[in-house]
Amino acid sequence: MGQRIRFNAFQMNAASHQSPGLWTHPRDSAHRYTDPQHWVDLAKLLERGVFDGVFLADVLGVYDVFGGNHEAAVRHGVQVPVNDPLALVPLMAQATEHLGFGVTCALTYEHPYPFARRISTLDHLTGGRVGWNIVTGYLDSAARNLGLSNQLGHDARYDLADEYMDVVYKLWEKSWADDAVRRDKATGTFTDPAKVRPIRHAGTHYQVPGIHLCEPSPQRTPVLYQAGTSPRGVAFAARHAECVFISGPTETVLKRYVDTVRGGLVAQGRPADDVLIYAQALVITAPTEAEARAKHRELLEHIDVEASLALLSGWTGVDFSKYDPDAPIEHVDTEAGRTALASFSQTDPSRKWAVGEAARFIGLGGRGPVIVGSASQVADELERWVDATGIDGFNLTYALAHETMRDVVDHVVPELQRRGRYATSYSDGTLREKLFARGPRLGAGHAATRVRI
Amino acid sequence: MGQRIRFNAFQMNAASHQSPGLWTHPRDSAHRYTDPQHWVDLAKLLERGVFDGVFLADVLGVYDVFGGNHEAAVRHGVQVPVNDPLALVPLMAQATEHLGFGVTCALTYEHPYPFARRISTLDHLTGGRVGWNIVTGYLDSAARNLGLSNQLGHDARYDLADEYMDVVYKLWEKSWADDAVRRDKATGTFTDPAKVRPIRHAGTHYQVPGIHLCEPSPQRTPVLYQAGTSPRGVAFAARHAECVFISGPTETVLKRYVDTVRGGLVAQGRPADDVLIYAQALVITAPTEAEARAKHRELLEHIDVEASLALLSGWTGVDFSKYDPDAPIEHVDTEAGRTALASFSQTDPSRKWAVGEAARFIGLGGRGPVIVGSASQVADELERWVDATGIDGFNLTYALAHETMRDVVDHVVPELQRRGRYATSYSDGTLREKLFARGPRLGAGHAATRVRI
């Protein structure tokens, strides 16, 4: 029996996430993203499927690289409109007992002092089921609307991020002692002031002299997720992350990311298996292979090339409106563009790829693989990806909300459980305890617990 | 039959709010503020009592004026620990159908672009039941932790606030046309890009060129609450507010505030009754007068003078640790301090007041009156305050969570209903419709709808 396979659900508080044309499918219900019941239903479904958690993506800007404006993104609903992901956590937590929440918050967009309080609040209200996907932000449009003339450079964002992490670690881990709060009605001592310390942070980017505003929450620091695969991003993840999300179209690409991340951990003095790695994937399944293939064909008809290129342009910073969809990808005259497209063409190097074909690849399921078949076939395939790449599980996207997830929960989860490769129930405790079977808090070796105040 | 009397519940995501020593009472349960069920219970209770809403106070700092440090505030739990109020809204909205939510957010502490999205998200998820209590922030400790060397001056804060309001109004009211979102699966048009406009805001404090990230929510702009009673605060309220919170210990003080606010509205070209005014009050009631008076005596024993002075020092900026609690209030050598204390002494000008006695006044129910008696006596008293001052209702604080609110709902609400002075059910629609029996959106005369982009 192989190692356990883990599932996260990859979602966004928007009508369209990783399969940008699929909202046009008659059975898609993602446009219900403004209805709380949409999220309550999802949370209950995922908990029934013993998912580790729901991972909420976010952008604080629009995909306006394609054509130099927001028109294509707006027309196709490409991650716009997009609502605040944090508001979904209390909702979904109320409807569940165990499901975890990994919320994307770009640290360049909010000051660490109020942010630390927001997360502590959610960790309290969820009984310690909150994770934070640390991103530094990649859309210039977001930076511009925050009054910055443009995004900080990539490495500069990570330098700022390191200081940001120091500030929130000091607030979460060091400001309040475990036994600071007494609630001693007899002496009138709610909190022992000697056990609450100002963090006195005086850095390059932030000055935070005071105490954290929140008493220690079940996890103190939320479970830390990261998704960077650049050298600086990997170094950041190796220092901070407990879980890593990766996305790539082939086993080769994924294995390279996995090796890089695990190598980065070792370089930081952490065990290679100290993080859980989830790879993005889309599973299309049904009771029989024939039905699954029919469903897949039906979904393919809803791919939208322009919408996909708008997404890809935002991810890469390359304006793909300049290229004929029929042009061979070698005609793309920027290296970033060619590299992005070439990675998709590796899924089938036997033929010549055009720009539009690469767009069609990401049009269903984004940058990850699409795995189609009966439960048994999908399970075989998932096991193969895990065993070949060294990932710990999958960050599963949807084509249709919530049908795709329901299919996985109803068909694939029971099959993996029969094979002994998937949890049949949750363990107790906080999200961190469920993931790592250690304590509710970060261990002494982690950067968070080593900060000094 | 007089006009309808309205109730809001004045709460905070903290263990101690307006009656700073009362957490030591055996029956108080406010320390359960980190438990979602605490808030769900409250929301259901208030909806049973047909309250207009729950008003969530907030500070993003500590009360560290008293003694020049945070010790007294921390020891007595004086509004610290304090969690993020916004996280409570999705929770309480899920448990109710009609209750409104007025959330305090200091606009000097978050950039308007992400803030506008946070509020739009909540307005969507609550079906249009969100209000925003606009505050400019009054604690230096908050400003310092955000990296500002100190708070902006009082009037400068309001100038910045006016620009902030322009930005959020543009985002909420002007960026997306009502018919922008099409969700037309046949043509693949999620949103008509011609109906979504960048706001192109280029101001003194903020540069926001882009579009709002959210589609129009039920109310677009949340119901706007304000609490300032300074001349600049009143001018701000007269321009922006739909509801105003005031607090004062006597009818004379309240009537002066009411007249000032209503006069300010007229000066801005708005009808004098264009805002609903809620005055802070604490109601102590029980089935009989004797039981209510006994309960009141019991509560008085839990007042904490030091905790009250810590609160008052934060509100006024005057360090009251420097004065003997037995000193007559005339001995206070700052005008702000004397003025604050003198207003409480007006509740009983027949005797000499000392500093500690003024602290005891605010120690139970803060700056508002404490109304004690049977349901019938309390109803008489509330009617009298409304008729004498011109307020529309009360912002009711609690001494004990949630006993104080339960007593009001069980005893006072039915009594006022019998008298025809309190609603017996909610009307349909958004919070704005429930409050004003007009449409879900702000009217054409409001500053929000007059901004241009």
Side-chain angles (χ1 to χ4, degrees), chain B residues 143-183:
Chain B
R144 282 195 303 272
N145 285 308
L146 292 159
L148 310 167
S149 58
N150 49 44
Q151 192 75 263
L152 282 174
H154 179 273
D155 283 12
R157 290 209 302 276
Y158 276 107
D159 289 341
L160 180 135
D162 274 323
E163 187 183 336
Y164 194 103
M165 296 307 293
D166 276 353
V167 175
V168 293
Y169 288 156
K170 288 174 184 179
L171 292 167
W172 286 328
E173 297 287 335
K174 301 291 180 179
S175 185
W176 293 60
D178 281 342
D179 59 352
V181 175
R182 296 284 172 84
R183 292 197 196 94

Short mmCIF file of all heavy atoms in Angstrom, two decimals, chain B residues 143-183:
data_model
loop_
_atom_site.label_atom_id
_atom_site.label_comp_id
_atom_site.label_asym_id
_atom_site.label_seq_id
_atom_site.Cartn_x
_atom_site.Cartn_y
_atom_site.Cartn_z
N ALA B 143 -2.44 54.22 15.40
CA ALA B 143 -1.65 54.89 14.37
C ALA B 143 -0.18 54.47 14.46
O ALA B 143 0.46 54.17 13.44
CB ALA B 143 -1.78 56.40 14.50
N ARG B 144 0.35 54.42 15.68
CA ARG B 144 1.77 54.06 15.84
C ARG B 144 2.07 52.68 15.29
O ARG B 144 3.11 52.46 14.69
CB ARG B 144 2.16 54.12 17.32
CG ARG B 144 2.40 55.52 17.85
CD ARG B 144 3.14 55.49 19.19
NE ARG B 144 2.45 54.71 20.19
CZ ARG B 144 1.51 55.19 21.00
NH1 ARG B 144 1.15 56.45 20.95
NH2 ARG B 144 0.94 54.41 21.90
N ASN B 145 1.17 51.72 15.51
CA ASN B 145 1.44 50.36 15.04
C ASN B 145 1.27 50.21 13.53
O ASN B 145 1.61 49.18 12.97
CB ASN B 145 0.55 49.38 15.78
CG ASN B 145 1.06 49.16 17.18
OD1 ASN B 145 2.23 48.85 17.37
ND2 ASN B 145 0.22 49.37 18.16
N LEU B 146 0.70 51.21 12.90
CA LEU B 146 0.62 51.21 11.44
C LEU B 146 1.77 51.98 10.83
O LEU B 146 1.79 52.28 9.64
CB LEU B 146 -0.72 51.79 11.00
CG LEU B 146 -1.89 50.87 11.37
CD1 LEU B 146 -3.20 51.63 11.40
CD2 LEU B 146 -1.97 49.71 10.40
N GLY B 147 2.74 52.35 11.67
CA GLY B 147 3.95 52.96 11.16
C GLY B 147 3.85 54.46 11.02
O GLY B 147 4.74 55.10 10.46
N LEU B 148 2.77 55.06 11.52
CA LEU B 148 2.67 56.52 11.53
C LEU B 148 3.23 56.99 12.85
O LEU B 148 3.02 56.36 13.89
CB LEU B 148 1.21 56.94 11.39
CG LEU B 148 0.46 56.26 10.25
CD1 LEU B 148 -1.04 56.47 10.36
CD2 LEU B 148 0.97 56.78 8.91
N SER B 149 3.95 58.10 12.83
CA SER B 149 4.59 58.51 14.08
C SER B 149 3.52 58.93 15.09
O SER B 149 3.64 58.74 16.27
CB SER B 149 5.58 59.64 13.84
OG SER B 149 4.91 60.73 13.26
N ASN B 150 2.43 59.50 14.62
CA ASN B 150 1.26 59.67 15.48
C ASN B 150 0.04 59.89 14.61
O ASN B 150 0.13 60.01 13.39
CB ASN B 150 1.46 60.79 16.50
CG ASN B 150 1.96 62.04 15.82
OD1 ASN B 150 1.47 62.42 14.76
ND2 ASN B 150 2.97 62.67 16.42
N GLN B 151 -1.09 59.88 15.29
CA GLN B 151 -2.36 60.13 14.65
C GLN B 151 -2.33 61.43 13.84
O GLN B 151 -1.73 62.40 14.28
CB GLN B 151 -3.36 60.28 15.82
CG GLN B 151 -4.78 60.27 15.47
CD GLN B 151 -5.27 58.89 15.14
OE1 GLN B 151 -5.33 58.54 13.96
NE2 GLN B 151 -5.61 58.11 16.14
N LEU B 152 -3.00 61.46 12.70
CA LEU B 152 -3.24 62.73 12.02
C LEU B 152 -4.07 63.61 12.94
O LEU B 152 -4.83 63.12 13.77
CB LEU B 152 -4.07 62.51 10.74
CG LEU B 152 -3.37 61.98 9.49
CD1 LEU B 152 -4.41 61.69 8.42
CD2 LEU B 152 -2.35 62.98 8.98
N GLY B 153 -3.98 64.92 12.78
CA GLY B 153 -4.82 65.82 13.56
C GLY B 153 -6.29 65.56 13.27
O GLY B 153 -6.64 64.99 12.23
N HIS B 154 -7.13 65.95 14.22
CA HIS B 154 -8.56 65.65 14.13
C HIS B 154 -9.18 66.13 12.82
O HIS B 154 -9.83 65.35 12.10
CB HIS B 154 -9.25 66.28 15.34
CG HIS B 154 -10.73 66.09 15.38
ND1 HIS B 154 -11.60 66.94 14.75
CD2 HIS B 154 -11.47 65.12 15.94
CE1 HIS B 154 -12.84 66.51 14.95
NE2 HIS B 154 -12.78 65.41 15.68
N ASP B 155 -8.98 67.39 12.46
CA ASP B 155 -9.59 67.90 11.24
C ASP B 155 -8.95 67.32 9.99
O ASP B 155 -9.64 67.03 9.00
CB ASP B 155 -9.54 69.44 11.20
CG ASP B 155 -10.61 70.04 12.11
OD1 ASP B 155 -11.21 69.29 12.91
OD2 ASP B 155 -10.85 71.26 12.02
N ALA B 156 -7.64 67.09 10.05
CA ALA B 156 -6.94 66.48 8.90
C ALA B 156 -7.49 65.08 8.64
O ALA B 156 -7.61 64.65 7.49
CB ALA B 156 -5.44 66.43 9.16
N ARG B 157 -7.84 64.36 9.73
CA ARG B 157 -8.43 63.03 9.56
C ARG B 157 -9.74 63.14 8.78
O ARG B 157 -10.03 62.30 7.94
CB ARG B 157 -8.71 62.39 10.92
CG ARG B 157 -7.49 61.99 11.68
CD ARG B 157 -7.74 60.79 12.61
NE ARG B 157 -8.79 60.99 13.59
CZ ARG B 157 -8.61 61.59 14.77
NH1 ARG B 157 -7.45 62.09 15.09
NH2 ARG B 157 -9.62 61.67 15.63
N TYR B 158 -10.51 64.15 9.08
CA TYR B 158 -11.79 64.30 8.38
C TYR B 158 -11.59 64.72 6.91
O TYR B 158 -12.37 64.33 6.04
CB TYR B 158 -12.72 65.26 9.11
CG TYR B 158 -13.49 64.57 10.22
CD1 TYR B 158 -13.19 64.77 11.55
CD2 TYR B 158 -14.52 63.67 9.90
CE1 TYR B 158 -13.89 64.11 12.55
CE2 TYR B 158 -15.22 63.01 10.89
CZ TYR B 158 -14.91 63.23 12.22
OH TYR B 158 -15.60 62.57 13.20
N ASP B 159 -10.55 65.50 6.64
CA ASP B 159 -10.27 65.85 5.23
C ASP B 159 -9.92 64.59 4.45
O ASP B 159 -10.42 64.36 3.35
CB ASP B 159 -9.11 66.85 5.14
CG ASP B 159 -9.52 68.23 5.65
OD1 ASP B 159 -10.74 68.49 5.72
OD2 ASP B 159 -8.63 69.02 5.99
N LEU B 160 -9.04 63.78 5.03
CA LEU B 160 -8.69 62.51 4.40
C LEU B 160 -9.93 61.65 4.25
O LEU B 160 -10.15 61.00 3.22
CB LEU B 160 -7.61 61.82 5.24
CG LEU B 160 -7.13 60.48 4.70
CD1 LEU B 160 -5.60 60.40 4.77
CD2 LEU B 160 -7.73 59.32 5.48
N ALA B 161 -10.77 61.67 5.28
CA ALA B 161 -11.99 60.85 5.24
C ALA B 161 -12.89 61.25 4.08
O ALA B 161 -13.49 60.39 3.43
CB ALA B 161 -12.73 60.98 6.58
N ASP B 162 -13.00 62.54 3.83
CA ASP B 162 -13.85 62.97 2.71
C ASP B 162 -13.34 62.41 1.38
O ASP B 162 -14.13 61.97 0.54
CB ASP B 162 -13.93 64.51 2.65
CG ASP B 162 -15.03 65.05 3.56
OD1 ASP B 162 -16.10 64.41 3.66
OD2 ASP B 162 -14.82 66.12 4.17
N GLU B 163 -12.01 62.42 1.21
CA GLU B 163 -11.49 61.84 -0.04
C GLU B 163 -11.70 60.33 -0.08
O GLU B 163 -12.05 59.76 -1.12
CB GLU B 163 -10.01 62.19 -0.24
CG GLU B 163 -9.55 61.72 -1.63
CD GLU B 163 -8.08 61.94 -1.93
OE1 GLU B 163 -7.46 62.82 -1.31
OE2 GLU B 163 -7.56 61.21 -2.80
N TYR B 164 -11.48 59.70 1.06
CA TYR B 164 -11.70 58.24 1.15
C TYR B 164 -13.13 57.91 0.73
O TYR B 164 -13.37 56.97 -0.05
CB TYR B 164 -11.45 57.81 2.59
CG TYR B 164 -11.30 56.33 2.84
CD1 TYR B 164 -10.05 55.76 3.04
CD2 TYR B 164 -12.41 55.49 2.90
CE1 TYR B 164 -9.90 54.41 3.30
CE2 TYR B 164 -12.27 54.13 3.15
CZ TYR B 164 -11.01 53.59 3.35
OH TYR B 164 -10.87 52.25 3.62
N MET B 165 -14.08 58.69 1.24
CA MET B 165 -15.49 58.43 0.90
C MET B 165 -15.70 58.60 -0.60
O MET B 165 -16.43 57.81 -1.22
CB MET B 165 -16.40 59.39 1.68
CG MET B 165 -16.37 59.21 3.18
SD MET B 165 -16.69 57.52 3.76
CE MET B 165 -18.40 57.34 3.28
N ASP B 166 -15.09 59.62 -1.20
CA ASP B 166 -15.22 59.78 -2.65
C ASP B 166 -14.76 58.53 -3.38
O ASP B 166 -15.41 58.09 -4.33
CB ASP B 166 -14.40 60.99 -3.13
CG ASP B 166 -15.17 62.30 -2.96
OD1 ASP B 166 -16.36 62.25 -2.60
OD2 ASP B 166 -14.56 63.36 -3.17
N VAL B 167 -13.63 57.98 -2.95
CA VAL B 167 -13.10 56.79 -3.64
C VAL B 167 -14.07 55.62 -3.51
O VAL B 167 -14.42 54.98 -4.51
CB VAL B 167 -11.71 56.39 -3.08
CG1 VAL B 167 -11.23 55.09 -3.73
CG2 VAL B 167 -10.69 57.50 -3.30
N VAL B 168 -14.52 55.34 -2.31
CA VAL B 168 -15.41 54.18 -2.15
C VAL B 168 -16.76 54.42 -2.81
O VAL B 168 -17.35 53.50 -3.38
CB VAL B 168 -15.54 53.72 -0.67
CG1 VAL B 168 -14.20 53.18 -0.17
CG2 VAL B 168 -16.06 54.81 0.24
N TYR B 169 -17.25 55.64 -2.78
CA TYR B 169 -18.50 55.93 -3.50
C TYR B 169 -18.34 55.66 -5.00
O TYR B 169 -19.23 55.11 -5.65
CB TYR B 169 -18.91 57.39 -3.32
CG TYR B 169 -19.44 57.76 -1.95
CD1 TYR B 169 -19.39 59.08 -1.50
CD2 TYR B 169 -20.02 56.81 -1.10
CE1 TYR B 169 -19.88 59.45 -0.25
CE2 TYR B 169 -20.51 57.18 0.15
CZ TYR B 169 -20.44 58.49 0.57
OH TYR B 169 -20.93 58.85 1.80
N LYS B 170 -17.24 56.10 -5.56
CA LYS B 170 -17.01 55.86 -7.00
C LYS B 170 -17.01 54.37 -7.29
O LYS B 170 -17.59 53.92 -8.29
CB LYS B 170 -15.70 56.51 -7.43
CG LYS B 170 -15.75 58.04 -7.48
CD LYS B 170 -14.37 58.64 -7.78
CE LYS B 170 -14.45 60.17 -7.72
NZ LYS B 170 -13.13 60.80 -7.99
N LEU B 171 -16.34 53.62 -6.42
CA LEU B 171 -16.26 52.16 -6.64
C LEU B 171 -17.65 51.53 -6.47
O LEU B 171 -18.08 50.72 -7.31
CB LEU B 171 -15.27 51.53 -5.66
CG LEU B 171 -13.79 51.90 -5.91
CD1 LEU B 171 -12.93 51.49 -4.71
CD2 LEU B 171 -13.25 51.25 -7.18
N TRP B 172 -18.33 51.88 -5.41
CA TRP B 172 -19.62 51.23 -5.12
C TRP B 172 -20.73 51.68 -6.07
O TRP B 172 -21.55 50.86 -6.50
CB TRP B 172 -20.05 51.52 -3.68
CG TRP B 172 -19.29 50.77 -2.64
CD1 TRP B 172 -18.74 49.52 -2.74
CD2 TRP B 172 -18.98 51.21 -1.30
NE1 TRP B 172 -18.12 49.16 -1.57
CE2 TRP B 172 -18.25 50.17 -0.67
CE3 TRP B 172 -19.24 52.38 -0.57
CZ2 TRP B 172 -17.80 50.27 0.65
CZ3 TRP B 172 -18.79 52.47 0.74
CH2 TRP B 172 -18.07 51.42 1.34
N GLU B 173 -20.77 52.98 -6.37
CA GLU B 173 -21.94 53.52 -7.07
C GLU B 173 -21.76 53.68 -8.57
O GLU B 173 -22.73 53.66 -9.32
CB GLU B 173 -22.32 54.89 -6.47
CG GLU B 173 -22.74 54.84 -5.01
CD GLU B 173 -24.14 54.23 -4.80
OE1 GLU B 173 -24.95 54.29 -5.74
OE2 GLU B 173 -24.40 53.69 -3.70
N LYS B 174 -20.52 53.90 -9.02
CA LYS B 174 -20.34 54.34 -10.41
C LYS B 174 -19.59 53.38 -11.31
O LYS B 174 -19.63 53.53 -12.52
CB LYS B 174 -19.59 55.69 -10.42
CG LYS B 174 -20.30 56.79 -9.67
CD LYS B 174 -21.57 57.23 -10.38
CE LYS B 174 -22.25 58.35 -9.58
NZ LYS B 174 -23.47 58.83 -10.22
N SER B 175 -18.85 52.45 -10.76
CA SER B 175 -17.98 51.66 -11.62
C SER B 175 -18.78 50.65 -12.46
O SER B 175 -18.49 50.46 -13.64
CB SER B 175 -16.91 50.95 -10.78
OG SER B 175 -16.00 50.27 -11.61
N TRP B 176 -19.76 50.00 -11.87
CA TRP B 176 -20.53 48.98 -12.57
C TRP B 176 -21.97 49.46 -12.75
O TRP B 176 -22.64 49.79 -11.76
CB TRP B 176 -20.55 47.66 -11.79
CG TRP B 176 -19.22 46.97 -11.68
CD1 TRP B 176 -18.08 47.46 -11.11
CD2 TRP B 176 -18.91 45.65 -12.15
NE1 TRP B 176 -17.06 46.53 -11.20
CE2 TRP B 176 -17.55 45.40 -11.83
CE3 TRP B 176 -19.63 44.65 -12.80
CZ2 TRP B 176 -16.90 44.21 -12.14
CZ3 TRP B 176 -18.99 43.46 -13.11
CH2 TRP B 176 -17.64 43.24 -12.79
N ALA B 177 -22.47 49.47 -13.98
CA ALA B 177 -23.88 49.77 -14.22
C ALA B 177 -24.73 48.63 -13.66
O ALA B 177 -24.28 47.50 -13.54
CB ALA B 177 -24.13 49.95 -15.71
N ASP B 178 -25.96 48.95 -13.34
CA ASP B 178 -26.88 47.93 -12.81
C ASP B 178 -26.99 46.73 -13.74
O ASP B 178 -27.11 45.59 -13.29
CB ASP B 178 -28.28 48.52 -12.62
CG ASP B 178 -28.38 49.34 -11.34
OD1 ASP B 178 -27.52 49.18 -10.46
OD2 ASP B 178 -29.33 50.15 -11.25
N ASP B 179 -26.96 47.00 -15.05
CA ASP B 179 -27.15 45.92 -16.02
C ASP B 179 -25.83 45.46 -16.64
O ASP B 179 -25.83 44.88 -17.73
CB ASP B 179 -28.14 46.34 -17.11
CG ASP B 179 -27.67 47.60 -17.85
OD1 ASP B 179 -26.66 48.21 -17.41
OD2 ASP B 179 -28.29 47.95 -18.86
N ALA B 180 -24.72 45.71 -15.94
CA ALA B 180 -23.41 45.31 -16.50
C ALA B 180 -23.27 43.80 -16.59
O ALA B 180 -22.80 43.26 -17.58
CB ALA B 180 -22.28 45.92 -15.66
N VAL B 181 -23.68 43.12 -15.53
CA VAL B 181 -23.51 41.67 -15.49
C VAL B 181 -24.64 41.01 -16.28
O VAL B 181 -25.81 41.19 -15.96
CB VAL B 181 -23.46 41.15 -14.04
CG1 VAL B 181 -23.40 39.62 -14.03
CG2 VAL B 181 -22.24 41.72 -13.33
N ARG B 182 -24.28 40.27 -17.32
CA ARG B 182 -25.28 39.65 -18.19
C ARG B 182 -25.45 38.15 -17.93
O ARG B 182 -26.51 37.61 -18.10
CB ARG B 182 -24.84 39.83 -19.67
CG ARG B 182 -24.79 41.28 -20.11
CD ARG B 182 -26.18 41.80 -20.36
NE ARG B 182 -26.14 43.24 -20.62
CZ ARG B 182 -25.88 43.76 -21.81
NH1 ARG B 182 -25.66 42.99 -22.85
NH2 ARG B 182 -25.85 45.08 -21.96
N ARG B 183 -24.36 37.50 -17.62
CA ARG B 183 -24.36 36.02 -17.47
C ARG B 183 -25.05 35.37 -18.66
O ARG B 183 -25.90 34.49 -18.49
CB ARG B 183 -25.04 35.59 -16.18
CG ARG B 183 -24.27 35.98 -14.95
CD ARG B 183 -24.72 35.20 -13.71
NE ARG B 183 -24.22 35.87 -12.53
CZ ARG B 183 -24.91 36.76 -11.82
NH1 ARG B 183 -26.15 37.04 -12.16
NH2 ARG B 183 -24.38 37.33 -10.78
#
